[in-house]
Amino acid sequence: MLEPAYQADVVVVGAGVAGLSAAHRLTSAGVTTMVLEAAHGVGGRMATEKVDGFRLDRIGQLLSTAYPELRLTPGLDGLVLRPFASGVLLHGDGRHHRAGVQPGAGGARGALHAVRALASAPRPPSAPRPPRRPVAVPGRQVSVPRSRPGAPLGTAVDQARLGAALSRLAGTPAERLLSRPELPAVEALAARGLPARTIDGFLRPLLAALLCDPGLTTSSRCADLALRAFARGRLCLPEGGADALPELLARTLPPGTVHTGVRVTSVSTTSVTTAEHGEIRCRAVLVATGARAAAELLPGLRVPDFHPVTVVHHTTDEPPGTGASLLLDADLGGPVAHTAVVSLVDPTRAPAGRALVSSTVLGRPPGDVDTAVRMHLARLYGVPTARWETLAVHHTAEAVPAMRPPHDLRRPVRLLAGLYVCGDHRDTSTVQGALHSGHRVSAAILADLGAGRSMHVAEPVPTVPRAA
Ligand SMILES: Cc1cc2nc3c(=O)[nH]c(=O)nc-3n(C[C@H](O)[C@H](O)[C@H](O)COP(=O)(O)OP(=O)(O)OC[C@H]3O[C@@H](n4cnc5c(N)ncnc54)[C@H](O)[C@@H]3O)c2cc1C
């Protein structure tokens, strides 16, 4: 039989971070790769809108310097992570209380970037210092706030127990966490022997924010992994906006690898069909879209439930006095799950003299979400917000796939020889999960195609003109 004329070894459908990270590993191994993206830019859900000098993310902000794939993914060497102030700031009983951990001392590249970025970040003259009231726990990296009866974390003994629990979790191997019995997170929390107010005042709001899941129906194993990352590293933002991460990955691919504005309508093991340019032949196809689009291209794939997320961006010329902290509501007294003056975390996100406040609402938002958010923010920050200007309200109905138990964190990425799938729905519903699925699938494709060998010299593809 004649060898068919391939236009690439592998066609990747979708230029989110999962598809781009897989493409990076494939091209680095000498496999010619074509990435086809339906939208007019790369990044998928990691999109950043640029308005009047502001950079407004669609996603809910929370990455961790302890995400292993931020360190392991080739092409992300240049990524700068801007850390929030250590731990989180809890609003409870009308006051702010700091709770949390110091950055891990393991020398993770992300943490180093974070620390360097922190050291070099200019502090706007009007920015007040974040409140600092940590008490060191001897021999531990964990810090807890001073005891105050009625504070969300309870008594000094309660707080020391929480500190010790987080430190233990930080040192527990991931595989051990994954072998624990699996329950909905809300049930597992109640069985961990921690005081009710530690759970309600700190762990519940923190986990809801980390998992985008206000009901904590997520698998307790995924919740443990999220808490472990929190305890090992620092919450952080990519400098310049969420889109910095996919754009960095796309820029480091060989020129002409990514083609935007090309929608794939069907796939097989040896070709894809596109709406714009007909059939493109290849030796393997990787579907790297979100879960719903993947199930349309690959009938039989399960479509999960999703958690909706709304992100509201405001600006003011007078930043509230919480510094670079991530602020959570221990009292759950309104729609905002977490909020921050992100321009104090990453000054590149707002023009000089303006503060950018970004707030995340989980679940179905209330009718007049902007008014409800403003009222809640006035209580959380303790300042009037009526004059704050609304820059954007981004609602994403299918923001993150739900991870209810039983949740398989390593869903198969190889469907058939020649047909593969990756994305956050194969792993955990986070940037870490999406990157890790790209890591796993590239290993599977390289194993099938014969790793490290140059597969094919790409033919020019005149029918797919736009390269990003
Ligand atoms: C509002 C919100 C808040 C979030 N908060 C956090 C957070 O705080 N922390 C965290 O870690 N994660 C968060 N996430 C999740 C994180 O953004 C995702 O897990 C990750 O970006 C998923 O990447 P992906 O590559 O798997 O998929 P996507 O980013 O969805 O990429 C898939 C790509 O495929 C393209 N595509 C689809 N169909 C086709 C087709 N037929 N042909 C060609 N291309 C196609 C799409 O246009 C898209 O670009 C949040 C997400 C949202 C939306």
Side-chain angles (χ1 to χ4, degrees):
M1 283 186 46
L2 287 175
E3 179 83 355
Y6 298 118
Q7 285 150 290
D9 287 320
V10 180
V11 170
V12 178
V13 185
V17 288
L20 289 171
S21 68
H24 203 288
R25 289 173 188 276
L26 293 171
T27 56
S28 301
V31 174
T32 61
T33 304
M34 187 187 291
V35 181
L36 304 180
E37 166 57 52
H40 288 287
V42 301
R45 277 169 276 169
M46 294 199 77
T48 303
E49 191 186 353
K50 279 102 179 168
V51 180
D52 298 336
F54 292 95
R55 290 154 189 256
L56 311 174
D57 282 357
R58 279 203 88 86
I59 80 161
Q61 320 282 350
L62 303 180
L63 305 191
S64 167
T65 58
Y67 278 176
E69 290 295 337
L70 293 180
R71 184 165 38 89
L72 297 173
T73 303
L76 290 184
D77 308 64
L79 184 70
V80 176
L81 299 174
R82 294 272 181 182
F84 287 91
S86 183
V88 294
L89 204 59
L90 291 169
H91 180 270
D93 304 327
R95 298 181 56 170
H96 290 149
H97 316 262
R98 183 163 297 281
V101 295
Q102 304 295 337
R109 193 178 58 188
L112 285 177
H113 281 311
V115 172
R116 278 195 211 119
L118 187 66
S120 63
R123 176 179 287 276
S126 59
R129 293 201 162 273
R132 283 185 188 280
R133 297 182 288 122
V135 176
V137 178
R140 304 275 188 203
Q141 291 175 349
V142 174
S143 68
V144 294
R146 277 198 194 109
S147 167
R148 193 176 67 75
L153 290 173
T155 64
V157 174
D158 295 339
Q159 294 168 44
R161 281 170 70 188
L162 172 64
L166 285 175
S167 283
R168 269 199 310 278
L169 192 57
T172 306
E175 292 314 316
R176 178 124 40 103
L177 295 181
L178 296 179
S179 66
R180 286 180 174 178
E182 194 180 20
L183 294 168
V186 68
E187 289 175 30
L189 275 182
R192 290 281 154 84
L194 287 166
R197 62 179 152 188
T198 307
I199 293 172
D200 291 338
F202 175 65
L203 289 173
R204 259 175 176 272
L206 175 64
L207 273 175
L210 296 175
L211 300 167
C212 297
D213 174 12
L216 293 187
T217 56
T218 298
S219 154
S220 53
R221 292 179 182 165
C222 301
D224 280 346
L225 287 178
L227 266 187
R228 178 175 178 270
F230 174 80
R232 288 167 76 95
R234 285 276 281 274
L235 295 176
C236 60
L237 306 175
E239 183 178 84
D243 67 353
L245 201 151
E247 280 181 3
L248 195 60
L249 286 173
R251 266 205 305 278
T252 48
L253 288 170
T257 303
V258 181
H259 303 268
T260 56
V262 182
R263 173 170 295 279
V264 171
T265 52
S266 69
V267 299
S268 74
T269 53
T270 52
S271 70
V272 301
T273 307
T274 70
E276 294 77 8
H277 308 288
E279 191 187 44
I280 296 173
R281 284 158 289 111
C282 55
R283 299 180 65 203
V285 173
L286 167 57
V287 175
T289 66
R292 188 173 297 282
E296 281 162 16
L297 292 171
L298 301 165
L301 222 61
R302 191 180 69 93
V303 182
D305 294 337
F306 294 89
H307 294 304
V309 178
T310 308
V311 182
V312 184
H313 297 282
H314 290 108
T315 182
T316 167
D317 49 12
E318 193 61 38
T322 49
S325 299
L326 184 77
L327 177 57
L328 308 177
D329 187 0
D331 300 333
L332 304 177
V336 176
H338 58 90
T339 178
V341 186
V342 298
S343 52
L344 294 182
V345 184
D346 174 7
T348 68
R349 293 182 181 231
R354 304 295 296 172
L356 173 63
V357 180
S358 301
S359 311
T360 297
V361 175
L362 303 177
R364 252 182 74 189
D368 183 355
V369 63
D370 186 40
T371 303
V373 165
R374 268 169 201 273
M375 288 168 65
H376 195 189
L377 292 180
R379 285 199 301 282
L380 290 176
Y381 286 110
V383 297
T385 56
R387 288 173 178 275
W388 287 12
E389 187 189 332
T390 304
L391 294 168
V393 178
H394 291 145
H395 176 70
T396 310
E398 298 192 345
V400 293
M403 299 186 283
R404 304 212 171 86
H407 181 77
D408 182 358
L409 282 101
R410 303 285 179 268
R411 290 217 162 93
V413 289
R414 180 185 188 274
L415 303 179
L416 295 167
L419 197 53
Y420 307 83
V421 60
C422 71
D424 61 349
H425 56 104
R426 309 312 289 169
D427 212 282
T428 57
S429 309
T430 60
V431 173
Q432 156 68 21
L435 289 172
H436 191 244
S437 73
H439 192 161
R440 286 195 294 133
V441 80
S442 53
I445 295 172
L446 290 174
D448 283 356
L449 292 186
R453 276 196 298 116
S454 182
M455 298 297 144
H456 170 76
V457 178
E459 292 173 14
V461 188
T463 50
V464 185
R466 194 179 347 231

